[in-house]
Amino acid sequence: MDEKGYIFTADAALALVVVIVFTVTVVSYTMLPMYMGQDHQHLEAMADSALQTMEQDGTLRYASIMAVNNSTTANSDSADFLNESLQTLIPSGIGYKITMNPGTVVSADNKGVPGTPTYSTDVVTRVRVISGPEEGWWGRAWYKSEPVEFTNQQINLTTTAWMFHNWLTNFPTWSGTGLRTNLYWGGGSSASSITFPIPSGATLLNASFIQGSASTRRTTGTTQQAFGTNTVVNSNPAIVTNPDQFTFLNRRVDSSERMFNYQGIIPISSLNPGNNNFYVRFLTNDNFNYNMPWFSILATYTTNITVPINVTTDRLFFPNAAGLAVNREVDLGNGTGYGRIYDLATGQVSNLNTLRMISWADMKGHDHTYSDGIPFVITDIPGNNRGSAVCVEQTFSVPSTSNILDAYVVVNSWGATDKTLVEVWSSDSSTWRTVFNSFDLDGNDYTDRGDGYGNLPGIIYIGNELRQGASNKVRITAWDDVPSNDYDLVGLQDCFTVLSTSDFKVKWDTYPFNSHQASGNTETQDQTFTITSDSQKAMLFLGTGLNTRNVRVTYAGTSQELYNGPSTFSLDLASIDAEKKFNRITTSNSTATNYTLVPGTYNLRVTITGPRYAWESGDDNYGYGDYGVASIFSGTRIVVINPQIQNEWSATMGPNPEIAIQNAILQLNDTYKRSHNNNPIPSTIPIYTSALYTGNTPNSVPVRLELWKQ
């Protein structure tokens, strides 16, 4: 068939024409072993995401049409077009090679680009077969975008500021005569404050705490009750809770012990950004033996990050869920049942009247009916027997015109929660993909502590797991380990996904740390990141353990300390580098507010320190003076932003080249309007267009993408 092609320049105000819609069938599969650690998993997700984006925005189709265009530069034009897209989608410092065969082999890569690693033995490969477009004309319209400005974007967050999950009497100070004589947590016989952080620079909106209590009778003829508490925050007047203000939950299985819960408010006037402290004094009655099974502090606040002006950030909330489930009908106090449902809005308890139970093998990685927030029992958990669990799920769509820049899940678990599983639905393989688990799973090293007890996020990065032009699903499961019959209350409260998107192709490079729980009091990880000549922002976002006492950030292998203090939400690395006159990633004349980044590849080190004492957080080190355990999560990530957007373009079909081009210009204008208050593309911005005939393109085109990291 003869080659047919036209190149045009056009005005942005061409008239509306009906767009011809066609359907593309996509097949994808994996070329390499599935389980090779978290770094490999990040690359897998990145490759899937890049191919999905390039399919959705028309890059793969248009590149295949260009390749068979019979012009002398067809192959190189197609390769350049693929490179332009991948340079935006793949973070600098990650090697890539893409190959497609629409009748002639086209290959593009970033080998030789500064910062690109040499070929690695650990290579992720993804192959996708797209169906070619129907016969007709494919029009394309584009303009060269100017650099965009940055703006401060306000984000509202609710995060867990501190969490204890264990039996307080498991720790030596309280293991003898218990809470009746050792009346303070922390401390024991006298008050000793526990430190917890509120992110620096945050504006507090509200704060709350959740207090658990357990009791058994010492004398007959008395009705069991909770202890009372005086909760003292930052030396302010105590928050007094009387025993009758606690909600009765249940009598434990095969035990006379009764469980209670209280939800309280902490006045924001009692808190401040940075380090805070608290202690609890127990108000007890000699008729009972007491125990404390859980305690949590949640804080809601606003913070600011600097982003390009055309970035939209949304918070997508999960439903709240709390309760406990047991594996058979038993007397739970005030009636028999299979568990209790706890209403977080009212603090009221209702009975669970049906058996809800599923095995780990049937739950993990599969659709199931237990993600409705109602408690259930998990059986045959690896390394343990059972769990009392709740699970919540959310579904949301990302338009095909929106580019996913950043996304993370904030998990706020409480009560007796010991472990957590976070999964994301993969639209590529129609399966649930694990992005975090408390114990080691599927070849991923999540913990150095065997069973992963207390390895609780936190913030988990999922930006490379989501797909544009698709329905996305995220699922959180939290459970209490049940080694015998101690089925206890667990809860998920104010969990949400944060999603940042743009209709423009902003280069937003993300370098996540691995989720990992240490065996001791410190966890140290290094992460390499690359700055290019176009980069203008280098940020570190932190997602640390719920019991983090301190965060230290340095350039790896140096004494240059960028930060040393309480856990916070984010750090402007370039601003700190310039302010401290390190000038490692900034020029020598840079200031904290006006800096220029220096291209290169750098290595950042983050060291997390856990509690001084295990009894502060409930970590299972039970000796006198034992330290708590440190952990870091993939929500800790370096972000390098390049606001210099490449060609903004759109492509559509039409029955002839003129209409195909008009359709493409219309679509390009619609994209521009969404980010510019419905204003069209200004006449001062030249629009370039082209049209190619699709008849030379085969019915199916295989595309292969390889990614690797040093």
Side-chain angles (χ1 to χ4, degrees), residues 25 174 223 242 302 308 330 350 393-394 476 489 537 611 622 647:
T25 302
W174 296 271
T223 302
N242 296 316
T302 63
V330 294
S350 58
E393 182 182 320
Q394 64 178 193
I476 305 170
L489 177 75
K537 289 288 179 184
Y622 299 127
N647 288 336

Side-chain angles (χ1 to χ4, degrees), residues 335-643:
T336 62
Y338 295 92
R340 294 282 158 84
I341 302 169
Y342 186 87
D343 189 325
L344 279 157
T346 65
Q348 300 302 305
V349 174
S350 58
N351 217 41
L352 180 61
N353 295 315
T354 57
L355 177 64
R356 288 169 55 87
M357 191 158 58
I358 185 173
S359 70
W360 174 267
D362 289 336
M363 181 194 76
K364 182 255 178 187
H366 300 284
D367 279 323
H368 59 75
T369 60
Y370 296 94
S371 59
D372 54 5
I374 300 174
F376 63 100
V377 173
I378 311 172
T379 64
D380 303 317
I381 302 172
N384 201 348
N385 188 15
R386 299 180 297 273
S388 171
V390 292
C391 178
V392 292
E393 182 182 320
Q394 64 178 193
T395 302
F396 56 91
S397 296
V398 179
S400 60
T401 55
S402 294
N403 297 293
I404 298 169
L405 305 180
D406 192 30
Y408 53 93
V409 177
V410 178
V411 180
N412 291 310
S413 58
W414 59 268
T417 300
D418 294 322
K419 294 172 185 172
T420 303
L421 170 70
V422 182
E423 301 168 283
V424 176
W425 174 259
S426 170
S427 59
D428 305 305
S429 58
S430 296
T431 58
W432 286 96
R433 185 181 178 98
T434 299
V435 294
F436 174 79
N437 188 60
S438 293
F439 52 83
D440 293 348
L441 185 69
D442 297 339
N444 288 311
D445 177 17
Y446 292 113
T447 179
D448 284 343
R449 295 186 63 81
D451 65 353
Y453 179 84
N455 190 14
L456 303 172
I459 299 175
I460 300 296
Y461 173 69
I462 60 169
N464 51 13
E465 300 285 350
L466 304 182
R467 301 291 178 261
Q468 68 184 84
S471 179
N472 294 277
K473 295 189 287 187
V474 184
R475 189 166 70 189
I476 305 170
T477 307
W479 68 93
D480 166 48
D481 281 341
V482 182
S484 55
N485 286 309
D486 53 339
Y487 297 88
D488 289 323
L489 177 75
V490 294
L492 291 167
Q493 180 174 356
D494 294 334
C495 302
F496 54 94
T497 296
V498 175
L499 174 65
S500 294
T501 61
S502 177
D503 285 344
F504 293 88
K505 295 178 175 64
V506 178
K507 184 170 175 59
W508 181 299
D509 291 348
T510 302
Y511 304 87
F513 287 69
N514 288 334
S515 296
H516 191 260
Q517 180 189 42
S519 60
N521 190 241
T522 60
E523 167 75 6
T524 298
Q525 287 189 30
D526 295 351
Q527 180 59 272
T528 299
F529 65 101
T530 298
I531 292 173
T532 70
S533 58
D534 293 324
S535 302
Q536 292 192 23
K537 289 288 179 184
M539 306 285 294
L540 174 67
F541 294 89
L542 290 166
T544 61
L546 307 183
N547 60 351
T548 296
R549 183 53 46 81
N550 192 76
V551 177
R552 184 171 184 256
V553 182
T554 62
Y555 292 117
T558 78
S559 60
Q560 294 176 325
E561 186 177 82
L562 293 159
Y563 182 78
N564 193 347
S567 186
T568 190
F569 179 70
S570 65
L571 299 171
D572 188 329
L573 297 176
S575 176
I576 298 171
D577 179 85
E579 182 179 27
K580 293 197 171 189
K581 301 299 182 184
F582 295 152
N583 300 123
R584 195 174 185 88
I585 64 172
T586 59
T587 56
S588 59
N589 61 345
S590 293
T591 67
T593 56
N594 185 15
Y595 50 76
T596 301
L597 295 178
V598 177
T601 298
Y602 304 94
N603 203 7
L604 197 72
R605 176 167 295 168
V606 175
T607 299
I608 306 299
T609 304
R612 171 60 186 87
Y613 299 105
W615 53 257
E616 295 178 296
S617 57
D619 295 323
D620 56 347
N621 291 332
Y622 299 127
Y624 278 103
D626 278 357
Y627 286 88
V629 177
S631 53
I632 190 171
F633 301 105
S634 59
T636 301
R637 62 206 188 279
I638 302 165
V639 171
V640 178
I641 303 176
N642 169 21

